[in-house]
Amino acid sequence: MSLSALIDDVAPTAVELRHELHAHPELSFEEFETAERVVEQLRKMPNLDIQTGIAKTGVMATLNGDRGGPCVLLRCELDALPMQEESDLPYRSTVDGKMHACGHDGHMACLLGAARVLSEMGDDIPGCIKFVFQPAEEGYGGGKVMIEEGILDHPKVDAAFALHGWPYLPLGVVGVHAGPTMASADFFDVTIQGQGTHAAYPHRGNDPVVIGAQIIQAAQTIVTRATDPLDSAVISITQFHAGTAHNVIPERAKLTGTIRTLREPVRNATLARFEQLARSIAESFGATLEIEWGGGYPVLVNDAACVDLVKDVAHATLGAERVAADMRASMGGEDFAYFAQAVPSAFWRLGVATQDAAAQPTLHQPNYDFPDEAVATGIRMHCELALEYIKRHAR
Ligand SMILES: [Zn+2]
Ligand SMILES: [Zn+2]
């Protein structure tokens, strides 16, 4: 059977599977049933060596692990988000407060479809392909843990590719570009410890609410005054908690938020400057400040040769009109960044917009849904990328 015929054959099953996965979302590092569903499918395919329980719930299936040719890794994510789905879909989430709002159900369906096609072609492929289903992409770095547990070795991975559905591109259009493509993502929890007092006698304390307000204002000057205008940085303060009453100045205030950048030196400078500024503002008012850092995804830097391969494959299989010419970086974070730090990689975007921009649900919105129509294109791109990489790097 030709590649196209094989893809036509597997796409309807992949779509059905997506619906099933969409209806049963699980959160980061708890994707036990999701991993089971994935493994159940992989076990039906020939020529695969399946490993489970990597980074707790991660799964990897290796095709032709002992063949000795080039080795390509294709990656998708297992986890959903802690949010309530708002949709009338027949396959909407059956779990209160959890949903696949980042489309990882669609990514799994595309990769399982590709695994089925490529595993059936197994003997004819002069190289190795690793299909990676990683846990905990949404802030907990499951990909990093899988790498620490050795998925890039035995055989050694030469290049890695990952697809993400992109609601800012028209359906079926591929977007990719070289260099920094997703931002570093650091989270902070700041606690300002002041002196509480009666609201009518503010001079008897030092008000952590006023100190917090100063920190919020001053933080934006790091972006506008301390960062090279040709670099990118975002500081967003997303929570400010303090106090219990109208007439009590509290003793403590908490701020949380995130910092995003597109270059590691800018990231380091922005984090250091934020901490220094917040601490010195608190101290100048006689308060103390504690700061805890979390998250920590590095900048995702796409390899130029891998990006060229994605573009070439998209041109050849989808046509020039379905390759976005003006793709830009995003300030979103992605733990595929850890793969890209370890091996030449490309994180590419598959357009999933089925409506005009104003009406189109975007990532992490309660009505986002990876469209069925994109699944076959995702399968096709995965297959062609792996085959073309192996062909170009034949030993
Ligand atoms: Zn997400
Ligand atoms: Zn995602």
Side-chain angles (χ1 to χ4, degrees):
M1 236 194 275
S2 71
L3 186 63
S4 295
L6 275 170
I7 292 167
D8 290 345
D9 198 41
V10 308
T13 317
V15 166
E16 260 174 52
L17 195 68
R18 184 186 83 75
H19 295 175
E20 202 183 307
L21 292 163
H22 190 95
H24 300 94
E26 293 177 294
L27 302 183
S28 298
F29 286 129
E30 297 171 3
E31 311 94 332
F32 295 103
E33 279 180 33
T34 307
E36 244 170 65
R37 281 174 213 275
V38 165
V39 170
E40 189 189 329
Q41 296 301 316
L42 292 170
R43 288 209 202 286
K44 295 180 195 162
M45 303 173 196
N47 304 316
L48 293 180
D49 176 24
I50 302 163
Q51 288 167 266
T52 60
I54 315 172
K56 208 167 176 183
T57 49
V59 177
M60 179 164 77
T62 305
L63 178 66
N64 297 345
D66 49 6
R67 185 138 306 184
C71 183
V72 187
L73 183 150
L74 305 173
R75 168 277 204 174
C76 75
E77 323 87 323
L78 299 166
D79 57 334
L81 285 155
M83 55 190 284
Q84 188 67 33
E85 180 158 7
E86 285 170 24
S87 84
D88 301 324
L89 296 169
Y91 51 85
R92 67 183 167 276
S93 172
T94 58
V95 190
D96 256 0
K98 299 179 189 176
M99 82 166 284
H100 269 298
C102 207
H104 297 174
D105 52 332
H107 307 171
M108 285 185 269
C110 293
L111 196 58
L112 281 168
R116 186 151 154 227
V117 170
L118 294 167
S119 64
E120 277 173 30
M121 297 168 65
D123 288 340
D124 302 327
I125 302 172
C128 163
I129 303 168
K130 290 184 175 180
F131 303 93
V132 169
F133 301 79
Q134 76 147 80
E137 192 288 317
E138 296 289 357
Y140 298 91
K144 181 172 186 251
V145 184
M146 283 191 91
I147 292 169
E148 285 165 357
E149 293 188 15
I151 60 166
L152 299 181
D153 304 317
H154 313 297
K156 194 185 160 312
V157 170
D158 296 301
F161 297 90
L163 160 171
H164 207 295
W166 211 245
Y168 318 99
L169 280 176
L171 182 68
V173 169
V174 166
V176 66
H177 74 119
T181 196
M182 296 290 280
S184 59
D186 293 282
F187 304 123
F188 54 81
D189 286 275
V190 167
T191 305
I192 305 155
Q193 185 68 46
Q195 170 72 53
T197 178
H198 194 299
Y201 315 121
H203 57 292
R204 293 182 187 276
N206 46 13
D207 185 345
V209 174
V210 170
I211 297 169
Q214 304 264 347
I215 292 173
I216 293 169
Q217 294 290 336
Q220 295 310 320
T221 66
I222 301 172
V223 177
T224 61
R225 302 291 86 179
T227 305
D228 185 327
L230 299 181
D231 276 314
S232 302
V234 176
I235 301 176
S236 289
I237 291 175
T238 53
Q239 298 184 60
F240 187 169
H241 298 292
T244 54
H246 286 95
N247 54 359
V248 179
I249 291 173
E251 59 177 345
R252 199 177 298 120
K254 295 193 174 207
L255 301 175
T256 71
T258 181
I259 294 178
R260 311 296 176 104
T261 71
L262 289 176
R263 288 203 306 124
E264 290 297 326
V266 179
R267 176 193 185 191
N268 295 336
T270 307
L271 265 57
R273 180 79 182 126
F274 176 77
E275 183 159 345
Q276 178 202 32
L277 197 64
R279 202 176 291 287
S280 56
I281 288 170
E283 281 168 5
S284 72
F285 285 91
T288 58
L289 182 134
E290 275 176 36
I291 185 161
E292 274 178 43
W293 292 99
Y297 289 1
V299 179
L300 196 173
V301 183
N302 270 348
D303 173 75
C306 289
V307 164
D308 284 344
L309 183 79
V310 175
K311 284 185 181 166
D312 289 352
V313 164
H315 268 109
T317 58
L318 308 176
E321 70 287 356
R322 282 172 68 186
V323 184
D326 54 352
M327 205 62 210
R328 302 172 72 191
S330 154
M331 299 308 280
E334 240 300 335
D335 90 345
F336 190 67
Y338 294 109
F339 291 85
Q341 278 188 334
V343 294
S345 297
F347 176 84
W348 57 276
R349 298 160 166 105
L350 176 60
V352 293
T354 51
Q355 305 173 54
D356 58 23
Q360 174 63 42
T362 58
L363 302 174
H364 295 206
Q365 285 194 331
N367 55 347
Y368 178 73
D369 185 39
F370 188 97
D372 290 342
E373 304 91 305
V375 170
T377 311
I379 297 174
R380 169 135 217 160
M381 283 294 297
H382 275 316
C383 292
E384 301 272 11
L385 276 173
L387 294 171
E388 186 63 20
Y389 183 90
I390 290 169
K391 191 173 131 196
R392 288 190 189 184
H393 296 83
R395 286 165 193 163

